[in-house]
Amino acid sequence: ATSTAVDLIASLGLGDCGPVWFGGLGSNRAFEEAINSHLPEVVDLLDSAHRAATRVVELNRSVLVKMAEELVERRILYGNDLSRYLSDVSCLCDEEAGVEPT
């Protein structure tokens, strides 16, 4: 996650500095520049992603519990089973649009 955040900010120019390029994806120079100049922005990006991921898990807790219960019982879920569960998954865009979680 950290290297992805660094790449977004220092290699792809998607940070507060705008379209600034400090080296190719995964480059040491981009990583050093991100650490030296953009560390708060990297931390903010990681924190935002963590909050979003936590919210998605919270929104879909009931689906995850049902899936876990079936896994305990059967020890495996096949494609159709997974598709059935995944069709019940809510995303953050659903929450923002007022769609009720299942």
Side-chain angles (χ1 to χ4, degrees), residues 1 10 23 41 43 59 67 88 94-95 99 102:
E41 192 174 355
V43 170
L59 280 171
M67 213 159 90
D88 292 336
D94 291 340
E95 183 183 54
V99 175
T102 56

Side-chain angles (χ1 to χ4, degrees), residues 13-24:
L14 299 176
D16 289 341
C17 292
V20 177
W21 184 74
F22 296 109

